[in-house]
Amino acid sequence: MAADSMAGVGAADRLSLPPQAISRRRAALGDRIYRACVLASVWLVLVLAAGLVAALCWESWEAIRAFGLRFLVTSHWDPVAGEFGALPFIYGTLLSSLLALLIAVPLSLGAAIFLAELAPAWIRPPVAFLIEMLAAVPSVVYGLWGIFVLVPWLRDWVQPALATTLGFLPLFQGPPYGIGMLAAGLILSIMVVPYITSVSREVLLAVPGSQREAALGLGATRWEATRIAVLRYGRSGLIGAILLGLGRALGETMAVTMVIGNRPEIAASLFAPGYTMASVLANEFTEATSDLYVSALVEIGLLLLVITVVVNGFARLLVWSVGGPARGGRE
Amino acid sequence: MMKKWSLLAVLLLAAAIPGRPAPADAQMLMNGAGATFPYPIYSKWFEEYIKVDPEVRFNYQSIGSGGGIRQISERTVDFGASDGPMTDDQLKKAPAELFHIPTVMGAVVATYNLPGNPQLSFTGDVLADIYLGKITKWSDARIKALNPSATLPDQSIVVVHRSDGSGTTYIWVDYLCKISPEWDKQVGRGTSVKWPVGLGGKGNEGVAGQVKNAPGSLGYVELAYAITNKLPAAKVKNQAGKFVEPTIESTTAAAAGAAKSMPSDFRVSLTNPPGDSAYPIASFTWLLVYKDQPNEAKGKNLVKFLWWAIHDGQKYPSTLLYAPLPAPVVKEIEAKIKQITYSGKPLLAAQ
Amino acid sequence: MTPAARRLVSDGVSGLTFAAALLVVCPLLLIFGFLLYQGASAINVDFFLHLPKPVGEAGGGVANAIVGSVIMIGLAVAIGLPVGILGGVYLAESRDRRLPWVLRFVADVLNGVPSIVFGIFAYTVVVLPMRRFSALAGGLALGLILVPIVLRTTEEMVRLVPSALREAGLGLGLPQWKVSLRIIIPAARAGIITGFMVALARIAGETAPLLFTALGNRFWHQGLDQPIAALPLQIYAYAIAPYDDWHRQAWAGALVLITLVFLASLAARLATRGRSVAR
């Protein structure tokens, strides 16, 4: 199979026809242009990101000056009185995303393994396609589906069942509104699944067959071969897929705000309503009246950025500590 | 490889197509943005107005009242729209003087989900205390006193409010502030407030959906949403002591009652107005335009449209479940529209 | 563990993955079913060819919204795709110490920024100076969402191309850039397309960033520097209204959106069909 992809190499014969010096200079020019384009792209991304951060800092300066660190640890969000504390939103964002990943990651990886390794060939393309299409469903449709289908189901079936079986845990106490943190976590997990599944599936498919064959040849069962050869080889890619899903979960606005109850309070129970940073931004930005109000909202946007940085850093640290720099394709 | 580049080239070409101009010679496009509440009636108006003046196209998008105020202040749109009047601060910040032109009226109703769908009546202070968290059960004595013939279950009231900033909320809390000094002190008025209790639903449809699906809920929505979702609407006691059902007529009556004391800039709150048949939780929605228009042609189109809207246009609102403006108020708005100028000269020729 | 036990575990895991795949497909079928049930009645020829009409009038459509979405996505892709792919290749191939690390981190963080923030950024940078809403601003906001997704997925896919391929190409005397563009990227093609499709699906359905940039338009747009309609905006406006007629049109619009993305995905896969590594 390596030979197939080398078909493009035939061009090298044509290149060696002109005198060596000219072809080398042309190659060097091509290299320089290519390198310039690549670096331009890289710097474009970095400059835009820097611009974004700068704009966020600039707009939120008024709120930062007014509240300082209090913003991070108080729970009082009162637009009329001009008092803003972001702690419940931070809690809501972290909890809902964690819940979403807890549900989505095992399901997505399982589905990806199934689609890449175990499914009969005729099933793979249509199912993979279907899952990709989940990513195209507009956020507002997820939200409305959530209100009309998911929330009643939770309120009438799931939450009472959880309350009777696991009700001794503070996680499952309180009145079953249907709307709340559990609904938000579920909707987020559905939204995040297509990203993790699609990308993981591609990663697994890209692992060279030789790896799998070697493990099988040594007597491993199917699962062992997958675990030892394929998953480990593609670990970096899988982590990338999960981080992609995490990013979506942290930043999702519309669907979450429709089912989470939008109550800026910290509660132990998953049945209780909550509020996320992205939701409060979406809910209140267009109607925010005073400058301090707008500034506080933008500061929440900035905080979300910081939290994304922290969570990403933490995740990478975790990966490093478990198995060294995860790299595929370089050995 | 080549295929990918040619695909990109096609996309770029498609993007460069400078959009199809609408049929007939190039029309003038007027852009406006703001409140979501009047979006249906405005879209009806702009569609009908094409028959009146085929040379102009009005494009209106709902991005929220606050968005409307901000965009007209930034002059990125030709007119704005808001359910709540601009504050003095906001008016000061605008680059030039802005007019509030009332267009239609809306009512905010208290809606609920109880077995048997009884018709309930409330007073303002009972509503305030429910939203303050002081009345927690449907079987509370004060609710029973107002509704002696209704069967009220001994169930907790699931209070629902808006999570997003909105003019609907503004009208609701404005009313509660006028009735309940405790609400005024503890919560205050605004498009977004710190709710003492309750779940937040996104948009009118979020609150309506929550109330519809959860037994024991109580929420507030615009009249149109209650009607189309077949949700009950509570009667509320007005200033004259009568329990009034929220309808299109009682909404219009709310403004008629306030017509005499209407301020000249129309930035008035219509909640709890005088008048026997007035529904106490109602409000105008306004279009925001500059007194001195920056562009003559656009300015002319705007004033002609505004004139049409408060006269011929008023036959459309009730079919879409909005309340038309009462006649005395229309007279006062006429005078205001005549004051819109371009370079100091009034735009509306004697009509 | 005995061989028999290991086989049992293997079969058990296989069963679990099958269950996982079923669970993953379930919500999709539920949502699709919901949309079909609610919106199928509103789909007719008028829906694709006409402009929106006010409530209660038959014959309204989303033609301008479809065109608007296509244009803005085209803009986003035209700028975002090359930047994302080149950046991804850079991250996978570069031997530098700091710059790749910074870029990767930045891309991961950008992936977590709510789309509404990109909309606000595009508003500040394009709409305010131009003093008008425009398709350009909308395209920029969407492009900003597209780039980090494509960048990271491209990086991971290119990383999985065996280094033997690159070494062979260089060994035969090909210049660096030819190796990257003509050998490595085609080899990772399938994965890059998947990443691109996932990003495309995402930006096709985004509403919040377009509220402050493209604004929306009930008529045909009159230029790229004017407000323009978009499917998600129209869906959102209809969905939050109180009228059943408009709700049906919202669901129908969502169906149309998903179908269009489906077709684009199909077209992209067919156009770039071919063999790649390890398949």
Side-chain angles (χ1 to χ4, degrees):
Chain A
M1 61 202 147
D4 293 335
S5 309
M6 303 269 254
V9 174
D13 299 328
R14 271 176 269 131
L15 267 183
S16 60
L17 286 176
Q20 287 281 55
I22 299 181
S23 77
R24 212 176 292 138
R25 200 180 311 149
R26 203 183 291 163
L29 182 66
D31 273 340
R32 266 208 297 277
I33 298 179
Y34 175 69
R35 193 166 300 278
C37 285
V38 168
L39 280 178
S41 301
V42 170
W43 281 107
L44 186 65
V45 175
L46 291 177
V47 161
L48 281 173
L52 185 69
V53 175
L56 286 177
C57 285
W58 177 259
E59 273 295 324
S60 55
W61 189 242
E62 191 174 337
I64 296 178
R65 218 181 28 196
F67 303 113
L69 278 177
R70 237 171 48 229
F71 196 72
L72 294 172
V73 293
T74 49
S75 300
H76 195 73
W77 185 264
D78 191 339
V80 175
E83 276 295 311
F84 299 105
L87 190 61
F89 309 117
I90 300 176
Y91 173 78
T93 300
L94 290 176
L95 185 59
S96 58
S97 304
L98 180 68
L99 198 57
L101 282 186
L102 275 176
I103 301 175
V105 167
L107 285 181
S108 301
L109 288 183
I113 294 175
F114 178 75
L115 284 173
E117 312 249 317
L118 301 168
W122 57 272
I123 277 193
R124 296 184 195 194
V127 174
F129 231 22
L130 276 178
I131 294 178
E132 267 170 39
M133 286 307 104
L134 260 183
V137 176
S139 197
V140 67
V141 172
Y142 272 116
L144 288 164
W145 177 82
I147 295 184
F148 291 130
V149 178
L150 185 69
V151 164
W153 179 63
L154 283 177
R155 186 186 52 237
D156 296 332
W157 297 98
V158 177
Q159 283 182 348
L162 282 172
T164 42
T165 52
L166 296 170
F168 56 92
L169 291 171
L171 273 181
F172 299 114
Q173 288 173 356
Y177 293 119
I179 277 194
M181 189 60 71
L182 186 61
L186 275 176
I187 277 262
L188 272 181
S189 65
I190 298 178
M191 298 179 82
V192 152
V193 152
Y195 294 83
I196 305 182
T197 308
S198 300
V199 177
S200 300
R201 177 179 153 270
E202 289 295 344
V203 167
L204 293 176
L205 282 173
V207 170
S210 53
Q211 299 280 324
R212 205 175 294 118
E213 284 155 19
L216 287 174
L218 284 166
T221 62
R222 213 173 192 167
W223 163 238
E224 283 165 356
T226 303
R227 192 185 76 217
I228 297 171
V230 177
L231 286 182
R232 192 158 300 167
Y233 191 88
R235 183 174 43 200
S236 159
L238 294 178
I239 300 284
I242 295 176
L243 284 178
L244 201 65
L246 175 67
R248 181 83 209 260
L250 287 173
E252 174 52 40
T253 49
M254 297 296 257
V256 170
T257 188
M258 288 175 155
V259 300
I260 200 173
N262 299 313
R263 183 138 198 86
E265 264 171 20
I266 302 180
S269 168
L270 290 180
F271 292 176
Y275 217 159
T276 64
M277 291 192 276
S279 298
V280 70
L281 203 56
N283 274 325
E284 304 192 6
F285 189 76
T286 47
E287 297 280 346
T289 38
S290 68
D291 276 349
L292 185 64
Y293 194 2
V294 174
S295 186
L297 286 171
V298 175
E299 191 181 345
I300 287 200
L302 185 65
L303 266 181
L304 187 55
L305 203 74
V306 169
I307 288 188
T308 313
V309 167
V310 167
V311 171
N312 266 290
F314 188 65
R316 288 205 173 273
L317 215 66
L318 206 65
V319 169
W320 258 76
S321 67
V322 165
R327 280 187 190 293
R330 293 253 156 252
E331 279 68 64
Chain B
M1 211 51 202
M2 278 311 297
K3 283 194 213 144
K4 195 196 290 186
W5 293 119
S6 46
L7 191 69
L8 267 174
V10 167
L11 280 171
L12 275 166
L13 275 173
I17 296 174
R20 239 211 293 157
D25 27 320
Q27 278 97 355
M28 168 147 292
L29 182 72
M30 311 270 296
N31 290 307
T36 38
F37 162 66
Y39 180 70
I41 180 63
Y42 288 169
S43 61
K44 177 78 176 169
W45 272 352
F46 295 138
E47 189 77 19
E48 292 296 323
Y49 194 69
I50 294 177
K51 301 181 196 148
V52 173
D53 184 354
E55 301 284 311
V56 184
R57 292 272 185 278
F58 282 87
N59 171 33
Y60 178 80
Q61 299 293 324
S62 20
I63 60 175
S65 298
I69 293 174
R70 199 169 317 132
Q71 297 315 320
I72 188 66
S73 304
E74 301 275 5
R75 287 198 197 266
T76 50
V77 290
D78 302 310
F79 59 95
S82 172
D83 292 333
M86 288 172 73
T87 62
D88 291 331
D89 273 339
Q90 287 170 327
L91 282 171
K92 245 195 295 246
K93 277 226 198 63
E97 188 180 346
L98 277 169
F99 276 174
H100 288 67
I101 308 284
T103 49
V104 292
M105 301 185 57
V108 180
V109 312
T111 183
Y112 46 89
N113 183 335
L114 284 177
N117 233 5
Q119 170 68 53
L120 295 182
S121 299
F122 286 107
T123 57
D125 53 294
V126 167
L127 286 173
D129 283 341
I130 294 178
Y131 271 81
L132 279 170
K134 288 163 67 180
I135 298 182
T136 53
K137 282 202 186 294
W138 283 106
S139 52
D140 189 283
R142 290 165 69 188
I143 304 181
K144 261 218 176 76
L146 291 169
N147 300 282
S149 55
T151 32
L152 296 164
D154 185 35
Q155 202 184 343
S156 293
I157 308 179
V158 178
V159 178
V160 187
H161 54 78
R162 289 284 289 271
S163 60
D164 48 328
S166 113
T168 314
T169 296
Y170 186 84
I171 301 169
W172 182 257
V173 299
D174 182 56
Y175 173 68
L176 292 182
C177 278
K178 285 187 182 167
I179 302 286
S180 163
E182 186 177 349
W183 180 272
D184 198 9
K185 197 163 71 137
Q186 187 177 335
V187 183
R189 58 163 63 76
T191 52
S192 243
V193 300
K194 182 167 171 54
W195 299 95
V197 296
L199 300 174
K202 177 151 177 57
N204 272 303
E205 75 289 354
V207 175
Q210 174 64 8
V211 171
K212 200 170 185 179
N213 289 317
S217 307
L218 173 77
Y220 63 88
V221 291
E222 298 271 3
L223 180 61
Y225 287 84
I227 296 180
T228 51
N229 275 292
K230 303 200 185 15
L231 287 168
K235 294 189 184 169
V236 183
K237 191 171 176 189
N238 65 11
Q239 203 188 88
K242 302 267 193 305
F243 285 89
V244 179
E245 197 181 329
T247 61
I248 293 175
E249 293 77 24
S250 59
T251 308
T252 307
K260 289 180 220 47
S261 55
M262 189 79 60
S264 64
D265 64 357
F266 297 108
R267 287 165 59 210
V268 66
S269 151
L270 291 177
T271 51
N272 211 30
D276 271 358
S277 50
Y279 179 70
I281 321 180
S283 167
F284 286 134
T285 183
W286 294 267
L287 280 178
L288 305 168
V289 298
Y290 280 104
K291 172 176 193 296
D292 198 46
Q293 285 291 310
N295 177 303
E296 184 170 15
K298 284 194 174 179
K300 272 217 175 76
N301 285 324
L302 200 54
V303 294
K304 275 184 23 206
F305 170 74
L306 287 173
W307 193 265
W308 176 88
I310 61 172
H311 293 110
D312 286 332
Q314 292 293 313
K315 62 178 183 257
Y316 297 106
S318 43
T319 48
L320 293 176
L321 307 173
Y322 294 86
L325 300 166
V329 178
V330 172
K331 280 260 161 308
E332 297 178 31
I333 303 177
E334 283 178 3
K336 198 75 179 174
I337 298 180
K338 289 195 180 131
Q339 290 177 22
I340 300 178
T341 59
Y342 172 73
S343 297
K345 289 207 310 272
L347 278 167
L348 202 62
Q351 202 113 346
Chain C
M1 256 204 289
T2 65
R6 282 166 50 212
R7 253 202 301 281
L8 202 65
V9 167
S10 178
D11 288 339
V13 172
S14 298
L16 279 177
T17 59
F18 177 64
L22 272 181
L23 276 175
V24 161
V25 169
C26 232
L28 175 77
L29 296 174
L30 285 173
I31 294 179
F32 242 25
F34 177 73
L35 286 177
L36 274 171
Y37 175 66
Q38 302 274 9
S41 54
I43 297 196
N44 46 39
V45 179
D46 280 345
F47 197 65
F48 288 96
L49 295 181
H50 285 189
L51 296 175
K53 282 219 156 51
V55 190
E57 290 184 30
V62 294
N64 60 339
I66 296 176
V67 170
S69 274
V70 168
I71 290 181
M72 279 195 287
I73 294 177
L75 281 173
V77 167
I79 308 171
L81 190 62
V83 170
I85 292 183
L86 286 179
V89 171
Y90 170 78
L91 278 182
E93 311 227 303
S94 170
R95 307 250 175 216
D96 296 341
R97 288 289 337 259
R98 285 207 322 254
L99 195 58
W101 189 90
V102 171
L103 181 63
R104 185 176 303 122
F105 206 61
V106 165
D108 277 336
V109 169
L110 284 179
N111 268 326
V113 173
S115 48
I116 194 174
V117 172
F118 287 123
I120 298 171
F121 180 65
Y123 171 78
T124 323
V125 163
V126 180
V127 173
L128 280 183
M130 275 176 62
R131 288 260 165 263
R132 62 166 78 84
F133 295 96
S134 61
L136 290 169
L140 173 67
L142 293 182
L144 286 173
I145 303 175
L146 184 87
V147 163
I149 302 179
V150 172
L151 207 145
R152 287 289 281 124
T153 49
T154 303
E155 180 205 347
E156 293 302 342
M157 294 308 158
V158 169
R159 212 182 260 293
L160 285 165
V161 173
S163 44
L165 226 56
R166 164 165 282 273
E167 286 154 17
L170 290 172
L172 282 164
L174 285 178
Q176 285 266 10
W177 67 274
K178 261 217 163 125
V179 173
S180 291
L181 286 182
R182 304 296 299 269
I183 298 181
I184 302 292
I185 292 184
R189 175 178 47 214
I192 296 181
I193 296 282
T194 298
F196 171 52
M197 281 299 122
V198 161
L200 187 79
R202 168 88 191 266
I203 64 174
E206 283 289 345
T207 322
L210 295 179
L211 283 172
F212 308 110
T213 47
L215 185 67
N217 196 333
R218 289 189 61 89
F219 309 103
W220 295 108
H221 68 289
Q222 292 177 339
L224 289 180
D225 63 335
Q226 295 288 324
I228 192 170
L231 264 178
L233 284 177
Q234 202 63 42
I235 294 172
Y236 179 63
Y238 282 161
I240 62 173
Y243 313 107
D244 273 343
D245 175 44
W246 273 7
H247 286 170
R248 270 196 305 274
Q249 291 196 21
W251 306 140
L255 275 175
V256 169
L257 180 64
I258 299 175
T259 310
L260 284 177
V261 174
F262 178 80
L263 289 174
S265 196
L266 202 61
R269 292 215 185 274
L270 285 177
T272 54
R273 193 174 32 193
R275 290 148 304 178
S276 66
V277 195
R279 232 181 276 228

